[in-house]
Short mmCIF file of all heavy atoms in Angstrom, two decimals:
data_model
loop_
_atom_site.label_atom_id
_atom_site.label_comp_id
_atom_site.label_asym_id
_atom_site.label_seq_id
_atom_site.Cartn_x
_atom_site.Cartn_y
_atom_site.Cartn_z
N PRO A 202 51.05 -2.11 99.97
CA PRO A 202 51.34 -3.45 99.45
C PRO A 202 51.56 -3.43 97.94
O PRO A 202 50.90 -2.68 97.22
CB PRO A 202 50.08 -4.24 99.81
CG PRO A 202 49.44 -3.49 100.92
CD PRO A 202 49.75 -2.05 100.66
N ARG A 203 52.49 -4.24 97.48
CA ARG A 203 52.76 -4.35 96.04
C ARG A 203 51.95 -5.47 95.39
O ARG A 203 51.88 -5.56 94.18
CB ARG A 203 54.25 -4.59 95.81
CG ARG A 203 55.14 -3.41 96.26
CD ARG A 203 56.59 -3.70 95.94
NE ARG A 203 57.44 -2.57 96.31
CZ ARG A 203 58.76 -2.55 96.13
NH1 ARG A 203 59.37 -3.60 95.60
NH2 ARG A 203 59.46 -1.48 96.49
N GLY A 204 51.41 -6.35 96.24
CA GLY A 204 50.61 -7.44 95.70
C GLY A 204 51.35 -8.76 95.59
O GLY A 204 50.74 -9.80 95.39
N ASN A 205 52.70 -8.72 95.76
CA ASN A 205 53.48 -9.96 95.68
C ASN A 205 53.90 -10.47 97.05
O ASN A 205 54.66 -11.44 97.15
CB ASN A 205 54.73 -9.74 94.80
CG ASN A 205 55.67 -8.70 95.38
OD1 ASN A 205 55.29 -7.91 96.24
ND2 ASN A 205 56.90 -8.69 94.90
N GLU A 206 53.38 -9.85 98.11
CA GLU A 206 53.73 -10.29 99.46
C GLU A 206 53.02 -11.62 99.79
O GLU A 206 51.85 -11.81 99.41
CB GLU A 206 53.33 -9.24 100.49
CG GLU A 206 54.08 -7.92 100.36
CD GLU A 206 53.43 -6.94 99.39
OE1 GLU A 206 52.48 -7.36 98.68
OE2 GLU A 206 53.86 -5.78 99.34
N THR A 207 53.70 -12.50 100.50
CA THR A 207 53.13 -13.82 100.79
C THR A 207 53.21 -14.20 102.26
O THR A 207 52.90 -15.34 102.61
CB THR A 207 53.86 -14.90 99.97
OG1 THR A 207 55.25 -14.90 100.31
CG2 THR A 207 53.70 -14.67 98.47
N GLN A 208 53.62 -13.26 103.13
CA GLN A 208 53.75 -13.60 104.54
C GLN A 208 53.37 -12.43 105.43
O GLN A 208 53.59 -11.26 105.06
CB GLN A 208 55.19 -14.01 104.88
CG GLN A 208 55.61 -15.39 104.43
CD GLN A 208 57.01 -15.73 104.89
OE1 GLN A 208 57.94 -14.97 104.70
NE2 GLN A 208 57.16 -16.88 105.54
N VAL A 209 52.82 -12.76 106.60
CA VAL A 209 52.67 -11.78 107.68
C VAL A 209 53.44 -12.30 108.89
O VAL A 209 53.68 -13.51 109.03
CB VAL A 209 51.19 -11.54 108.06
CG1 VAL A 209 50.45 -10.80 106.97
CG2 VAL A 209 50.50 -12.85 108.43
N ALA A 210 53.86 -11.37 109.76
CA ALA A 210 54.54 -11.73 111.00
C ALA A 210 53.68 -11.31 112.18
O ALA A 210 53.15 -10.20 112.21
CB ALA A 210 55.90 -11.05 111.08
N ILE A 211 53.55 -12.21 113.16
CA ILE A 211 52.79 -11.92 114.39
C ILE A 211 53.71 -12.20 115.57
O ILE A 211 54.11 -13.34 115.79
CB ILE A 211 51.52 -12.78 114.49
CG1 ILE A 211 50.71 -12.74 113.20
CG2 ILE A 211 50.66 -12.32 115.67
CD1 ILE A 211 49.61 -13.78 113.13
N ARG A 212 54.10 -11.15 116.31
CA ARG A 212 54.97 -11.33 117.46
C ARG A 212 54.28 -12.17 118.53
O ARG A 212 53.10 -11.95 118.84
CB ARG A 212 55.37 -9.97 118.04
CG ARG A 212 56.27 -9.14 117.14
CD ARG A 212 57.66 -9.71 117.05
NE ARG A 212 58.55 -8.89 116.23
CZ ARG A 212 59.68 -9.33 115.73
NH1 ARG A 212 60.05 -10.59 115.96
NH2 ARG A 212 60.46 -8.54 115.01
N THR A 213 55.03 -13.10 119.13
CA THR A 213 54.46 -14.01 120.12
C THR A 213 53.94 -13.28 121.36
O THR A 213 53.01 -13.75 122.01
CB THR A 213 55.52 -15.04 120.55
OG1 THR A 213 56.65 -14.34 121.10
CG2 THR A 213 55.99 -15.87 119.38
N ALA A 214 54.54 -12.12 121.67
CA ALA A 214 54.15 -11.38 122.89
C ALA A 214 52.87 -10.58 122.70
O ALA A 214 52.31 -10.09 123.69
CB ALA A 214 55.28 -10.46 123.31
N TYR A 215 52.42 -10.40 121.44
CA TYR A 215 51.26 -9.56 121.17
C TYR A 215 49.98 -10.37 120.97
O TYR A 215 48.96 -9.84 120.52
CB TYR A 215 51.51 -8.70 119.94
CG TYR A 215 52.50 -7.58 120.14
CD1 TYR A 215 53.26 -7.09 119.09
CD2 TYR A 215 52.69 -7.01 121.40
CE1 TYR A 215 54.17 -6.05 119.27
CE2 TYR A 215 53.59 -5.99 121.59
CZ TYR A 215 54.33 -5.50 120.53
OH TYR A 215 55.22 -4.48 120.72
N ILE A 216 50.01 -11.65 121.30
CA ILE A 216 48.84 -12.51 121.09
C ILE A 216 48.17 -12.79 122.43
O ILE A 216 48.82 -13.26 123.38
CB ILE A 216 49.25 -13.84 120.42
CG1 ILE A 216 49.97 -13.56 119.09
CG2 ILE A 216 48.02 -14.72 120.19
CD1 ILE A 216 50.61 -14.79 118.48
N GLY A 217 46.90 -12.47 122.51
CA GLY A 217 46.13 -12.78 123.71
C GLY A 217 45.54 -14.18 123.61
O GLY A 217 45.19 -14.65 122.52
N VAL A 218 45.42 -14.84 124.75
CA VAL A 218 44.86 -16.19 124.80
C VAL A 218 43.87 -16.27 125.94
O VAL A 218 44.14 -15.80 127.05
CB VAL A 218 45.96 -17.26 125.01
CG1 VAL A 218 45.36 -18.66 124.98
CG2 VAL A 218 47.04 -17.15 123.95
N GLY A 219 42.72 -16.84 125.68
CA GLY A 219 41.72 -17.02 126.74
C GLY A 219 41.24 -15.71 127.32
O GLY A 219 40.68 -14.86 126.61
N ALA A 220 41.50 -15.47 128.61
CA ALA A 220 41.01 -14.27 129.30
C ALA A 220 41.59 -12.99 128.72
O ALA A 220 41.00 -11.92 128.84
CB ALA A 220 41.33 -14.37 130.79
N THR A 221 42.78 -13.06 128.11
CA THR A 221 43.41 -11.85 127.55
C THR A 221 42.99 -11.61 126.11
O THR A 221 43.39 -10.61 125.51
CB THR A 221 44.94 -11.97 127.61
OG1 THR A 221 45.37 -13.09 126.83
CG2 THR A 221 45.41 -12.14 129.04
N ALA A 222 42.21 -12.48 125.53
CA ALA A 222 41.78 -12.34 124.14
C ALA A 222 40.48 -11.55 124.07
O ALA A 222 39.41 -12.10 123.81
CB ALA A 222 41.61 -13.72 123.50
N VAL A 223 40.55 -10.24 124.31
CA VAL A 223 39.35 -9.41 124.32
C VAL A 223 39.51 -8.22 123.38
O VAL A 223 40.59 -7.65 123.25
CB VAL A 223 39.05 -8.90 125.75
CG1 VAL A 223 38.65 -10.06 126.65
CG2 VAL A 223 40.24 -8.18 126.35
N SER A 224 38.40 -7.85 122.73
CA SER A 224 38.30 -6.63 121.91
C SER A 224 39.48 -6.46 120.95
O SER A 224 40.09 -5.40 120.88
CB SER A 224 38.20 -5.39 122.83
OG SER A 224 37.09 -5.50 123.67
N GLN A 225 39.81 -7.50 120.21
CA GLN A 225 40.89 -7.42 119.24
C GLN A 225 40.37 -7.80 117.86
O GLN A 225 39.39 -8.54 117.71
CB GLN A 225 42.07 -8.29 119.68
CG GLN A 225 42.72 -7.75 120.97
CD GLN A 225 43.78 -8.67 121.53
OE1 GLN A 225 43.53 -9.84 121.75
NE2 GLN A 225 44.96 -8.14 121.77
N ALA A 226 41.05 -7.29 116.81
CA ALA A 226 40.54 -7.41 115.45
C ALA A 226 40.46 -8.85 114.97
O ALA A 226 39.54 -9.24 114.24
CB ALA A 226 41.41 -6.58 114.51
N ASN A 227 41.43 -9.65 115.36
CA ASN A 227 41.47 -11.05 114.92
C ASN A 227 41.19 -11.96 116.10
O ASN A 227 41.90 -11.94 117.11
CB ASN A 227 42.86 -11.36 114.34
CG ASN A 227 43.16 -10.56 113.10
OD1 ASN A 227 42.59 -10.77 112.04
ND2 ASN A 227 44.10 -9.62 113.22
N ARG A 228 40.13 -12.77 115.99
CA ARG A 228 39.74 -13.70 117.04
C ARG A 228 39.52 -15.06 116.39
O ARG A 228 38.63 -15.22 115.56
CB ARG A 228 38.48 -13.24 117.77
CG ARG A 228 38.66 -11.92 118.52
CD ARG A 228 37.35 -11.42 119.12
NE ARG A 228 36.78 -12.37 120.07
CZ ARG A 228 37.16 -12.47 121.34
NH1 ARG A 228 38.13 -11.69 121.81
NH2 ARG A 228 36.60 -13.34 122.15
N ILE A 229 40.34 -16.06 116.80
CA ILE A 229 40.31 -17.36 116.15
C ILE A 229 40.31 -18.45 117.22
O ILE A 229 40.91 -18.30 118.29
CB ILE A 229 41.55 -17.54 115.22
CG1 ILE A 229 41.65 -16.40 114.22
CG2 ILE A 229 41.49 -18.87 114.47
CD1 ILE A 229 42.69 -15.39 114.52
N GLU A 230 39.67 -19.54 116.93
CA GLU A 230 39.65 -20.68 117.87
C GLU A 230 40.95 -21.48 117.75
O GLU A 230 41.53 -21.61 116.67
CB GLU A 230 38.46 -21.59 117.57
CG GLU A 230 37.11 -20.92 117.85
CD GLU A 230 35.95 -21.86 117.54
OE1 GLU A 230 36.21 -22.95 116.99
OE2 GLU A 230 34.81 -21.50 117.86
N GLY A 231 41.39 -22.03 118.88
CA GLY A 231 42.59 -22.87 118.90
C GLY A 231 42.57 -23.81 120.08
O GLY A 231 41.65 -23.79 120.90
N ARG A 232 43.60 -24.64 120.18
CA ARG A 232 43.73 -25.57 121.29
C ARG A 232 45.18 -25.62 121.73
O ARG A 232 46.09 -25.71 120.89
CB ARG A 232 43.25 -26.97 120.89
CG ARG A 232 43.49 -28.03 121.96
CD ARG A 232 42.86 -29.35 121.61
NE ARG A 232 41.40 -29.25 121.64
CZ ARG A 232 40.60 -30.29 121.38
NH1 ARG A 232 41.10 -31.47 121.06
NH2 ARG A 232 39.29 -30.13 121.42
N VAL A 233 45.41 -25.56 123.05
CA VAL A 233 46.76 -25.58 123.59
C VAL A 233 47.35 -26.97 123.42
O VAL A 233 46.87 -27.94 124.00
CB VAL A 233 46.78 -25.16 125.08
CG1 VAL A 233 48.20 -25.25 125.63
CG2 VAL A 233 46.22 -23.76 125.24
N ALA A 234 48.42 -27.07 122.61
CA ALA A 234 49.07 -28.35 122.37
C ALA A 234 50.17 -28.62 123.39
O ALA A 234 50.39 -29.77 123.80
CB ALA A 234 49.65 -28.40 120.95
N ARG A 235 50.88 -27.56 123.78
CA ARG A 235 52.00 -27.75 124.72
C ARG A 235 52.24 -26.46 125.49
O ARG A 235 52.03 -25.36 124.96
CB ARG A 235 53.25 -28.15 123.96
CG ARG A 235 54.41 -28.58 124.87
CD ARG A 235 55.60 -29.03 124.05
NE ARG A 235 55.24 -30.14 123.17
CZ ARG A 235 56.03 -30.60 122.20
NH1 ARG A 235 57.20 -30.03 121.99
NH2 ARG A 235 55.64 -31.61 121.46
N ARG A 236 52.69 -26.61 126.73
CA ARG A 236 53.02 -25.47 127.58
C ARG A 236 54.43 -25.66 128.14
O ARG A 236 54.77 -26.73 128.63
CB ARG A 236 52.01 -25.37 128.72
CG ARG A 236 52.23 -24.15 129.63
CD ARG A 236 51.25 -24.18 130.79
NE ARG A 236 51.57 -25.25 131.74
CZ ARG A 236 50.69 -25.82 132.56
NH1 ARG A 236 49.43 -25.42 132.55
NH2 ARG A 236 51.06 -26.78 133.39
N MET A 237 55.26 -24.59 128.04
CA MET A 237 56.64 -24.65 128.52
C MET A 237 56.92 -23.44 129.41
O MET A 237 56.72 -22.30 128.98
CB MET A 237 57.61 -24.67 127.33
CG MET A 237 57.58 -25.98 126.56
SD MET A 237 58.20 -25.80 124.86
CE MET A 237 56.81 -24.97 124.09
N PHE A 238 57.37 -23.71 130.60
CA PHE A 238 57.65 -22.65 131.57
C PHE A 238 59.08 -22.16 131.40
O PHE A 238 60.04 -22.93 131.45
CB PHE A 238 57.44 -23.18 133.00
CG PHE A 238 57.65 -22.15 134.06
CD1 PHE A 238 56.72 -21.13 134.26
CD2 PHE A 238 58.78 -22.16 134.87
CE1 PHE A 238 56.90 -20.17 135.25
CE2 PHE A 238 58.98 -21.21 135.85
CZ PHE A 238 58.04 -20.21 136.04
N HIS A 239 59.27 -20.84 131.19
CA HIS A 239 60.59 -20.25 130.97
C HIS A 239 60.99 -19.27 132.07
O HIS A 239 61.96 -18.54 131.91
CB HIS A 239 60.62 -19.52 129.62
CG HIS A 239 60.61 -20.44 128.44
ND1 HIS A 239 61.75 -20.77 127.74
CD2 HIS A 239 59.60 -21.12 127.85
CE1 HIS A 239 61.43 -21.59 126.75
NE2 HIS A 239 60.14 -21.82 126.80
N GLY A 240 60.25 -19.23 133.16
CA GLY A 240 60.57 -18.29 134.24
C GLY A 240 59.83 -16.98 134.08
O GLY A 240 58.78 -16.79 134.69
N ASP A 241 60.37 -16.08 133.27
CA ASP A 241 59.74 -14.77 133.08
C ASP A 241 58.51 -14.84 132.18
O ASP A 241 57.71 -13.90 132.13
CB ASP A 241 60.74 -13.78 132.47
CG ASP A 241 61.81 -13.37 133.47
OD1 ASP A 241 61.57 -13.51 134.67
OD2 ASP A 241 62.88 -12.91 133.04
N PHE A 242 58.35 -15.92 131.45
CA PHE A 242 57.16 -16.07 130.60
C PHE A 242 56.87 -17.56 130.42
O PHE A 242 57.70 -18.43 130.69
CB PHE A 242 57.37 -15.41 129.23
CG PHE A 242 58.47 -16.02 128.40
CD1 PHE A 242 58.21 -17.09 127.53
CD2 PHE A 242 59.77 -15.54 128.47
CE1 PHE A 242 59.22 -17.65 126.77
CE2 PHE A 242 60.79 -16.09 127.72
CZ PHE A 242 60.52 -17.15 126.86
N VAL A 243 55.64 -17.83 129.99
CA VAL A 243 55.23 -19.19 129.64
C VAL A 243 54.99 -19.23 128.14
O VAL A 243 54.30 -18.37 127.59
CB VAL A 243 53.94 -19.60 130.38
CG1 VAL A 243 53.51 -21.01 129.98
CG2 VAL A 243 54.15 -19.52 131.89
#
């Protein structure tokens, strides 16, 4: 890092929620605001 960075990127497919949120470095509380069904993924 150079020290002037101001953003991180988190891919949507790499985030666990609920039962899949186990043994990971970052664990944060949240609430599901909306759910959209896309066929191959939600």
Side-chain angles (χ1 to χ4, degrees):
R203 296 183 177 180
N205 62 343
E206 296 87 351
T207 60
Q208 285 184 309
V209 290
I211 311 168
R212 292 289 182 198
T213 59
Y215 288 152
I216 303 171
V218 183
T221 61
V223 292
S224 302
Q225 294 173 307
N227 296 290
R228 296 175 60 82
I229 305 104
E230 293 180 353
R232 174 173 292 181
V233 178
R235 189 177 302 169
R236 183 184 70 204
M237 290 158 285
F238 182 73
H239 288 260
D241 289 339
F242 64 89
V243 179

